[in-house]
Every structure is written in C-alpha cells, then in structure tokens.
Amino acid sequence: MIGVIGILVQGVLLKQFTDLVGERFVVVIAFICGSVTNVLYAFAPTKKFIFAAVVVSSFTGMSFPTISAIKSNNAQESEQGRIQGALYALSSLANAVGPAMLRYAYQQTKDTEYPGSFFLVATVFFFVATLCAFALPKHKANSRDEYTPIPLESEN
C-alpha cells in the first residue's frame, strides 16, 4: 500500500503540485504532511489512524526531490555534484541521528499516559523545517515567477 501511494504521489501528483503552487510551497506542504503524520502517530487511538497517517506520510516524500530540484536550479553546473553530495550527506546525518534522538525521547515518555508522544519530537523538527521552507526566497526557490491552476478538463 505504501509503495503504491508513494508512486502515485511522486510519479503523478508531484508534477501537478509543482505546476500549481511552485517548488517552495510543495516543500512546505510536504513538511506540514510530515507534522500531521507524526501527530497522528503520537495520539492514534486505533489502527485506522495509523493507516491514515501512512497515507499522509506519502506526501512527505515530495520534499527530497523538490529540494533537489531547488538546489539544481540555483547551483552552477560545475557545482551540481558537490551540492548534491552535501544534500545526501545531510540526509544521511538525519537518518543516523534522528532514530537515536527518537529512541531517547521514547525512553523518556514510554511510561506516560501517551507513550507515542515521542513522535511529537519529530513534529517539532518538521515544524522548524516548515518555517525554513517558508523563509526561502520565492525568486530562488521557484523555477517560474507565476503559478496558475492546472486546467482540470481538456479544452477541446
């Protein structure tokens, strides 16, 4: 299920979202979805909430390719490899440090009324990332100056 939704989001919807609102707001939307996902995980009373969180989390996957596109649009051709390497290095660092931080937060909250509240730590990080995405200058983050809605019907 996760794979199919991820393919749909990144293979079909990502281009449409980018054309509709621009790269900057796609990153903002992706990070907001990450926040919502973690809040759902934190307070999920039933499995239905977990499944809903999985669907919402698929939209978080739009962030990395969009950030990569923003990077590509703003780096000189001779710097593309170095910038891409730095982007992957940051991603690797987050993948290494994040689980350790969440494990520590879990150890501190596991005996509380909401043992899943350690997911709120991740929500805080997504919130900070959302603020950073909002702070990106429009003229550098977006590949176009204007975004117009995509026609939903063919105009034949």
Side-chain angles (χ1 to χ4, degrees):
M1 179 170 119
I2 295 171
V4 172
I5 296 170
I7 290 169
L8 176 69
V9 168
Q10 290 191 24
V12 177
L13 298 178
L14 179 57
K15 171 79 168 109
Q16 293 178 355
F17 282 152
T18 302
D19 289 345
L20 184 65
V21 297
E23 290 88 348
R24 179 173 165 248
F25 276 114
V26 168
V27 174
V28 169
I29 291 166
F31 290 158
I32 289 171
C33 288
S35 295
V36 170
T37 296
N38 283 291
V39 168
L40 287 172
Y41 284 154
F43 300 112
T46 66
K47 289 181 184 179
K48 290 179 184 179
F49 280 83
I50 298 298
F51 289 121
V54 167
V55 171
V56 174
S57 74
S58 297
F59 290 90
T60 306
M62 296 187 303
S63 63
F64 194 80
T66 306
I67 291 169
S68 188
I70 292 170
K71 174 267 325 163
S72 179
N73 291 337
N74 287 285
Q76 295 178 1
E77 190 174 319
S78 62
E79 294 291 316
Q80 293 286 329
R82 185 177 299 175
I83 299 296
Q84 189 68 16
L87 187 60
Y88 273 97
L90 284 173
S91 178
S92 296
L93 180 64
N95 286 330
V97 174
M101 291 181 70
L102 288 180
R103 181 173 184 214
Y104 176 77
Y106 173 72
Q107 292 296 327
Q108 300 302 312
T109 62
K110 68 181 180 180
D111 296 324
T112 65
E113 185 177 349
Y114 295 105
S117 61
F118 71 97
F119 282 107
L120 297 178
V121 173
T123 302
V124 170
F125 286 117
F126 272 113
F127 179 73
V128 170
T130 303
L131 293 177
C132 290
F134 266 123
L136 291 172
K138 290 179 188 177
H139 68 282
K140 290 196 176 225
N142 294 328
S143 57
R144 297 189 326 216
D145 290 334
E146 294 181 20
Y147 287 90
T148 55
I150 300 169
L152 297 177
E153 301 175 10
S154 62
E155 298 177 12
N156 289 334

